[in-house]
Amino acid sequence: MDISTFLAAHQLPDSYRDIALKWFTPLADEIFAHQESAKKPVFIGVNGCQGSGKSTLCDFLVYYLSQHKKLNIVSLSLDDFYLDKSSRNALAVKVHPLLATRGVPGTHDVELAQQTFDRLRGYGTVSIPRFNKAIDDPYPVVDWPVIHSPPDVVLVEGWCWGVSSQSKSQLLEPVNILERDEDPLGIWRSYVNKQLGESYQALFDQMSFWIMLKAPSFAQVYNWRKEQEHKLAAKVGASKPHTGIMTDLEIERFIQHYQRLTEHSLETLPARCNYVFHLDETRQITKVDKAV
């Protein structure tokens, strides 16, 4: 199968061809078979920590299923449902200052996500939300892409997508300096955990198939997140003012917001997934576990 157009469009090395053909084409074929026997649209959940490659995986699945299986497929990212800065600043005042930073459960527009899911199940046109990370605010609604609904398959990817909430006892001890110094009473992590256990689970329950790109550990996330930020800087131009590009030190602090739930997901989520791709430090897949 020739995927040269995909590689060129996404500026991927030729080595990705072997990865896609060995690991992701069989996955896509199974999604296709799953879709044929189910009511459409089929919702597929994709979990992976920051920089794990989940966006590229979803891009490949869109390409393969649309070009080679003739399916109508749409890809959503949890990141595109972030609340705007003013809403997060309001949460920072009302609940805890750390909620001004996008990322954790409680900083997304869950209602908009559910509305989007509902519209994708109906007939007509649907605007797909898009968030501009460079300015830390959503794109204007008029700039959101519009698709014809219902699609055959809906991919939904996110760093905490599918993760369960923790017990109260698990929240007691801080997992890093950020939690120790900036959330000593546990107010922030308790709020995040409550949101995750309530409104987010209702979204997760709508997925009928789960995929995970499993990092070797959270320690690798810093390096992968730096790579993402450097690519974003090259794309938008880091020398321009107000781009929101983070320095490496800012990234080191930023990812601490994600540590608790990323580590929790690495321990608990694989048991829920249909496919778990195990990654090494260079993001190469070492093996895949499939649900029986």
Side-chain angles (χ1 to χ4, degrees):
M1 182 182 65
D2 184 14
I3 64 169
S4 299
T5 54
F6 172 78
L7 298 176
H10 294 274
Q11 299 180 322
L12 293 168
D14 285 340
S15 59
Y16 194 86
R17 185 193 316 271
D18 295 333
I19 296 171
L21 296 180
K22 179 179 181 180
W23 301 105
F24 298 151
T25 300
L27 166 65
D29 289 337
E30 184 160 337
I31 292 174
F32 177 71
H34 184 72
Q35 183 274 332
E36 281 193 308
S37 62
K39 294 180 180 179
K40 75 174 187 179
V42 170
F43 282 75
I44 309 291
V46 181
N47 176 281
C49 66
Q50 294 191 0
S52 61
K54 58 187 179 297
S55 297
T56 306
L57 168 59
C58 287
D59 287 342
F60 175 76
L61 293 175
V62 169
Y63 165 81
Y64 181 86
L65 292 171
S66 61
Q67 297 298 314
H68 296 275
K69 298 297 185 180
K70 307 307 178 186
L71 294 185
N72 180 11
I73 181 167
V74 62
S75 183
L76 307 177
S77 172
L78 179 62
D79 289 358
D80 284 317
F81 293 95
Y82 282 130
L83 294 168
D84 59 30
K85 274 189 291 193
S86 63
S87 298
R88 284 182 277 122
N89 286 336
L91 281 174
V93 172
K94 182 180 179 181
V95 182
H96 193 282
L98 285 176
L99 291 170
T101 301
R102 60 176 163 84
V104 296
T107 62
H108 302 92
D109 190 337
V110 175
E111 184 177 348
L112 176 61
Q114 184 58 65
Q115 289 172 355
T116 303
F117 288 7
D118 291 341
R119 289 169 184 157
L120 287 169
R121 292 188 177 97
Y123 287 86
T125 57
V126 181
S127 295
I128 305 299
R130 288 290 183 259
F131 190 89
N132 188 345
K133 292 181 179 178
I135 64 170
D136 201 20
D137 257 325
Y139 282 101
V141 176
V142 294
D143 293 335
W144 293 0
V146 177
I147 64 106
H148 292 283
S149 188
D152 299 302
V153 175
V154 178
L155 300 172
V156 189
E157 58 95 346
W159 74 274
C160 63
W161 198 246
V163 181
S164 62
S165 58
Q166 296 184 291
S167 66
K168 289 184 178 180
S169 62
Q170 289 174 303
L171 298 174
L172 294 177
E173 292 298 322
V175 299
N176 54 36
I177 295 172
L178 179 87
E179 289 192 358
R180 185 194 69 191
D181 294 349
E182 300 186 48
D183 186 38
L185 300 179
I187 295 172
W188 172 70
R189 54 188 182 267
S190 294
Y191 177 83
V192 169
N193 194 63
K194 184 175 186 294
Q195 300 306 307
L196 180 62
E198 294 178 354
S199 55
Y200 284 71
Q201 294 302 318
L203 296 175
F204 301 161
D205 289 343
Q206 296 169 66
M207 306 296 109
S208 62
F209 193 97
W210 284 96
I211 303 162
M212 183 181 192
L213 293 172
K214 187 175 184 291
S217 69
F218 180 77
Q220 191 58 44
V221 176
Y222 174 57
N223 291 330
W224 290 353
R225 188 62 181 81
K226 277 198 303 182
E227 290 179 13
Q228 281 188 318
E229 201 72 9
H230 294 169
K231 287 180 180 178
L232 181 61
K235 181 178 180 180
V236 303
S239 61
K240 298 178 182 178
H242 311 301
T243 58
I245 303 299
M246 290 185 286
T247 66
D248 290 353
L249 283 176
E250 288 171 331
I251 293 170
E252 186 174 3
R253 178 184 181 277
F254 180 67
I255 65 168
Q256 291 187 52
H257 293 78
Y258 297 79
Q259 182 173 350
R260 171 177 293 277
L261 289 181
T262 298
E263 292 180 336
H264 182 54
S265 70
L266 293 175
E267 293 176 2
T268 61
L269 190 60
R272 182 177 186 174
C273 293
N274 301 82
Y275 271 70
V276 179
F277 294 98
H278 295 261
L279 309 179
D280 65 14
E281 290 78 5
T282 63
R283 276 192 296 267
Q284 296 300 305
I285 299 171
T286 58
K287 68 173 182 175
V288 59
D289 293 334
K290 303 179 187 179
V292 179

